[in-house]
Amino acid sequence: MRKSKRLLLLEWAEQSRIDPERLTEAMRVSDVLPSADDWRGFLDTLLLWLGALLTASGVVFFFAYNWDDLGRFTRFALVEGLLLVALLGVWRLGIDRLSGKIALMVAAVFVGVLLALVGQTYQTGADTYELFAVWCVLILPWTLIARFDGLWVFWLFLLNVAVIIYYDTFGGIFGVVFGVEQMLWLLFLINTTALLVWEFLVSRGHSSRRSIRWMTRLLATVSCGLITALAIFGIFSDSQWLSLLGPIIWLVWMVCAYLWYRTVVLDVYVLAIAVLSAVAVVNVVLARILFNGVLEHSGGLLVMSLSVIGLSSFGAFWLRGVVKGAQT
Amino acid sequence: MKKSSHSLLWQKLLTQGLVTGEEPEFNDDTAPWYVRTMLGIAGWVGAILLLGALFGGFALLTDSAVVAGMLGAGACLVAVIIYRATHHNDFAKQFAFAVSLAGQALLVYSILKGLNLFQDTEAFISRVRQVAMVLVVLQSILFLVVPNILHRTWSALIGVGAAVFLLNQYGLYPFTLAITLAAGTMLWLQEFHWARYGEMLRALGYSLIIVSISHLLTQNHFWDDGRFWQNVFGIQSLGGAVGEWLASLCLGVILIALVFVLLKRGEIALGSSISIASLVLAVLVTLIGLQAPGITVGIVVVLLGYSRGNTILTGLGLVTLVVFISQFYYLLHLTLLQKSILLFGSGLVLLAVRQVLKHFWPKGAADA
């Protein structure tokens, strides 16, 4: 609401309906600009986030320095000590407060530092993906009890990295080419499941939609991006059943996204990325048809150019209609 | 925004004496940022395909630099006409954007071909400068004549980027970052005063901030030992190592000046505990930023965004902070140990300041 008011007031000022000299006052009266209390809260959060980020980064850099003078027991004592301090912070601040949740996130980062130190010190011969996989498993209980979307994003990020590094190392079951598709399917499964769980929790009232909207949008973007890539892979695949699977699941995703984000809970952002996905996939199909001898290259490129522009314009027109409908 | 909220807002301003007359017609035609981004991406792709079709179909014509230039200029002119002739037609605007991008690409191609850019390596740098100058002029004209926010943002990005390149080439590196950040800060602080140029100002404002951030991340990127401009273009820092240190200090001065202006506009007395705390914090960040300038830049953008109620700017600032700290790992002007001490110490100081702030400026107290 604040963002829309801002643009509306600027528009009225542009139309000279508000004197520019009084625009600041108009913004304040409309609660667009932050009050003194808003500033106080903002500074508090900013200092907390930035302080925690710099502190955790400093520790990570320190152990990357690989200081040879430190004996291995001293190194372990330092990392475990910092981990303990972070956990003491969680205990003192309380898991329900934002500062407590951030302290737990810092502790989760230190777990990774500790695992890296174990791998570095004992040269266990473990693969890199195992570091991230074990890291995920170890911090999962904390992630569950924290009920903090920032920590969930971090956890999912680690899980995604573990999968990517695994496939980068082993190339999948049938070799490198199929390994990429397998990896994308697994990532799609992970991130779409996370999205479904999130939507389920929100619909059950475990959190307000608005407060975790950024989280659902992030997951929806990743999920949509992955299924779009899989659909495109399928279109260019020579295997009969593989060529159908990607596009069919993509179609199912699009229908479900429309039904949920258009008719049940309105989120125009997800609809916008769905439109972009549709433009991409439809034009890849068009390219496959056109460049199989239907048209020579220049003609084909011209048709595709008009198709991209036309479909995206139609999509934007539809999205604007959806936004207008929601506002009246 | 709903029509009822639109009316309520107008009534509220009317009772405060900030507006007069009839309520403006409800016409919320502004698309959300993600719809505009989607259109922008599609426009880009459409332009590349159109360019491919033009080059393929008119291969013989585009072989001549003059003809390619005329085609490019013609395409830009057609785009301007379409923009000015249509108002609420998404397809036309998208098509015009694609045609304009294709026209600009043809113009640049004609200049590159005319200058034989890749055939004479000795004059390569001076010819790239000529291309940059042409880009500044071309994008300035398009910025002024095309009445579309997406196109204006594109023109401003390319124009400001080319101008920054020229400033670096003509000896102002490493102060160019401070110049663009200062320009962006001043522009955003005057956003309400120059509201009647709203669309132009926002396009230019975002471009100055985005180019500042890109310049910061480019000059600190981890290839070529973080000395991109020196190694690729052979430029020297103005003032050498002292100059680089002074440039970081200039960024801090911008931050302190911004805090000062915000305090003044908030009518907070300079001698009050809030002012003292704010200015001390700004000085602390400046000191941290002497070795890690990305932190100063990120904080400036975050403060600018929050003070204007602009969530896009605030988000850009936060992303800058995170990306810079990741990049900081690879910079070689300090050892990893020095960097870790700097970051860890800075983090602890900020957390301590947060605790101290609770005494000087308790939450819920409007006046300290």
Side-chain angles (χ1 to χ4, degrees):
Chain A
M1 183 64 173
R2 185 178 280 196
K3 189 179 165 186
S4 297
K5 271 197 231 174
R6 184 182 193 278
L7 285 176
L8 188 61
L9 288 168
L10 286 170
E11 194 181 290
W12 285 342
E14 210 170 330
Q15 295 165 0
S16 303
R17 298 306 303 268
I18 302 176
D19 183 354
E21 300 304 318
R22 305 201 73 187
L23 183 54
T24 306
E25 198 183 336
M27 290 273 184
R28 274 206 195 102
V29 159
S30 312
D31 297 324
V32 171
L33 298 184
S35 63
D37 283 340
D38 289 335
W39 269 110
R40 179 64 187 87
F42 170 76
L43 277 175
D44 189 66
T45 309
L46 182 67
L47 286 170
L48 178 62
W49 268 105
L50 194 56
L53 178 66
L54 292 177
T55 310
S57 302
V59 172
V60 170
F61 279 37
F62 178 76
F63 286 97
Y65 175 69
N66 202 14
W67 196 4
D68 294 327
D69 289 342
L70 276 181
R72 61 184 177 180
F73 293 113
T74 313
R75 286 184 218 164
F76 276 108
L78 271 171
V79 177
E80 287 166 3
L82 284 167
L83 182 55
L84 204 60
V85 165
L87 290 172
L88 275 169
V90 176
W91 175 64
R92 281 287 293 161
L93 296 165
I95 199 71
D96 292 324
R97 288 167 63 181
L98 177 62
S99 46
K101 292 178 198 284
I102 290 174
L104 191 58
M105 196 158 164
V106 171
V109 170
F110 287 156
V111 167
V113 173
L114 184 59
L115 290 172
L117 189 58
V118 166
Q120 187 188 62
T121 307
Y122 295 106
Q123 297 292 320
T124 56
D127 294 304
T128 312
Y129 82 90
E130 287 177 340
L131 167 76
F132 289 93
V134 170
W135 194 354
C136 272
V137 169
L138 289 177
I139 67 169
L140 182 58
W142 291 350
T143 311
L144 286 165
I145 61 171
R147 292 177 301 152
F148 181 35
D149 37 8
L151 190 47
W152 273 115
V153 168
F154 181 66
W155 186 84
L156 279 168
F157 171 73
L158 291 179
L159 187 59
N160 279 270
V161 168
V163 168
I164 291 167
I165 294 175
Y166 174 84
Y167 278 92
D168 189 48
T169 310
F170 297 106
I173 300 170
F174 297 111
V176 175
V177 172
F178 288 105
V180 173
E181 273 193 79
Q182 278 179 28
M183 179 187 77
L184 289 177
W185 277 115
L186 186 54
L187 290 174
F188 172 68
L189 203 65
I190 289 167
N191 291 288
T192 307
T193 305
L195 177 62
L196 290 170
V197 167
W198 234 252
E199 287 295 352
F200 172 74
L201 288 173
V202 170
S203 62
R204 290 284 291 265
H206 288 274
S207 192
S208 85
R209 172 159 297 278
R210 193 172 171 83
S211 71
I212 65 160
R213 190 167 62 178
W214 72 273
M215 178 74 174
T216 46
R217 286 179 173 181
L218 176 66
L219 288 171
T221 306
V222 173
S223 174
C224 182
L226 288 165
I227 195 55
T228 305
L230 285 164
I232 292 171
F233 260 108
I235 291 163
F236 285 110
S237 172
D238 292 323
S239 159
Q240 197 168 16
W241 76 271
L242 268 179
S243 71
L244 286 176
L245 184 64
I248 287 173
I249 303 294
W250 172 80
L251 213 53
V252 168
W253 194 99
M254 296 293 274
V255 169
C256 292
Y258 176 80
L259 288 173
W260 186 254
Y261 291 107
R262 173 71 183 95
T263 60
V264 179
V265 294
L266 184 64
D267 193 336
V268 181
Y269 173 85
V270 180
L271 296 176
I273 58 166
V275 164
L276 192 58
S277 172
V279 170
V281 171
V282 165
N283 281 282
V284 166
V285 170
L286 198 61
R288 188 94 205 249
I289 297 167
L290 289 174
F291 295 113
N292 261 349
V294 174
L295 276 177
E296 40 76 35
H297 280 134
S298 302
L301 287 170
L302 187 61
V303 169
M304 280 191 63
S305 168
L306 291 171
S307 164
V308 166
I309 294 165
L311 284 172
S312 58
S313 303
F314 177 73
F317 175 75
W318 174 68
L319 288 166
R320 276 205 177 96
V322 170
V323 170
K324 262 192 188 155
Q327 288 169 351
T328 51
Chain B
M1 170 174 277
K2 295 187 180 184
K3 190 177 190 314
S4 55
S5 308
H6 178 279
S7 300
L8 276 171
L9 181 60
W10 183 260
Q11 288 306 317
K12 195 173 186 181
L13 296 176
L14 204 59
T15 51
Q16 297 282 334
L18 293 165
V19 295
T20 53
E22 289 292 312
E23 177 188 330
E25 199 185 306
F26 179 68
N27 179 23
D28 197 352
D29 205 33
T30 313
W33 67 268
Y34 37 82
V35 175
R36 293 201 300 268
T37 306
M38 188 268 295
L39 282 173
I41 293 170
W44 258 94
V45 175
I48 291 168
L49 294 168
L50 191 62
L51 205 56
L54 280 172
F55 268 98
F58 299 104
L60 284 173
L61 291 174
T62 51
D63 217 31
S64 157
V66 173
V67 174
M70 285 170 65
L71 268 176
C76 289
L77 188 61
V78 165
V80 170
I81 291 168
I82 295 173
Y83 270 123
R84 287 189 162 268
T86 59
H87 293 288
H88 298 295
N89 188 326
D90 283 324
F91 178 80
K93 283 185 203 171
Q94 268 295 80
F95 183 68
F97 187 56
V99 168
S100 175
L101 287 182
Q104 290 169 49
L106 272 172
L107 273 169
V108 171
Y109 167 78
S110 73
I111 295 163
L112 294 176
K113 202 168 170 63
L115 292 175
N116 287 324
L117 198 71
F118 296 104
Q119 290 168 10
D120 184 351
T121 51
E122 278 182 12
F124 177 77
I125 299 292
S126 74
R127 284 172 184 178
V128 171
R129 288 177 191 171
Q130 289 170 29
V131 171
M133 280 182 212
V134 169
L135 278 175
V136 170
V137 172
L138 172 66
Q139 297 303 337
S140 300
I141 295 169
L142 290 173
F143 179 83
L144 291 170
V145 302
V146 174
N148 178 271
I149 180 77
L150 187 62
H151 196 287
R152 278 199 160 123
T153 308
W154 162 261
S155 292
L157 275 171
I158 301 298
V160 171
V164 162
F165 174 81
L166 287 169
L167 286 175
N168 281 341
Q169 285 294 312
Y170 287 114
L172 279 177
Y173 177 83
F175 293 92
T176 39
L177 174 57
I179 293 169
T180 48
L181 189 66
T185 304
M186 283 193 295
L187 206 62
W188 281 110
L189 285 174
Q190 294 301 319
E191 183 190 10
F192 300 160
H193 185 67
W194 294 335
R196 66 178 182 275
Y197 302 111
E199 197 180 85
M200 277 195 197
L201 191 144
R202 280 194 294 281
L204 187 57
Y206 281 125
S207 302
L208 282 165
I209 296 299
I210 290 171
V211 168
S212 298
I213 294 169
S214 306
H215 190 278
L216 167 78
L217 299 179
T218 308
Q219 83 185 28
N220 290 314
H221 86 345
F222 50 84
W223 302 302
D224 294 327
D225 305 330
R227 303 186 73 74
F228 171 79
W229 293 98
Q230 291 89 329
N231 291 346
V232 174
F233 295 100
I235 59 174
Q236 300 300 319
S237 299
L238 180 65
V242 173
E244 291 189 15
W245 182 86
L246 273 174
S248 296
L249 187 63
C250 286
L251 297 175
V253 168
I254 294 169
L255 171 63
I256 294 168
L258 173 61
V259 169
F260 184 77
V261 167
L262 292 177
L263 287 168
K264 202 166 168 231
R265 287 186 179 183
E267 292 167 355
I268 296 171
L270 279 183
S272 67
S273 49
I274 294 175
S275 294
I276 294 170
S278 306
L279 288 167
V280 165
L281 195 52
V283 169
L284 272 172
V285 173
T286 301
L287 291 172
I288 295 170
L290 287 177
Q291 294 293 349
I295 292 172
T296 314
V297 172
I299 298 285
V300 166
V301 179
V302 165
L303 286 180
L304 258 184
Y306 192 74
S307 66
R308 311 278 86 206
N310 188 326
T311 50
I312 296 174
L313 273 186
T314 312
L316 270 175
L318 291 172
V319 166
T320 303
L321 284 167
V322 172
V323 172
F324 176 78
I325 289 169
S326 313
Q327 216 183 29
F328 192 53
Y329 180 87
Y330 296 97
L331 296 181
L332 297 180
H333 67 296
L334 296 174
T335 65
L336 261 177
L337 178 63
Q338 289 168 331
K339 280 186 272 192
S340 73
I341 294 169
L342 174 69
L343 290 177
F344 189 76
S346 304
L348 287 183
V349 164
L350 291 180
L351 289 170
V353 166
R354 179 177 173 261
Q355 290 303 116
V356 168
L357 212 57
K358 285 180 181 172
H359 294 285
F360 281 99
W361 189 1
K363 277 187 185 178
D367 300 298

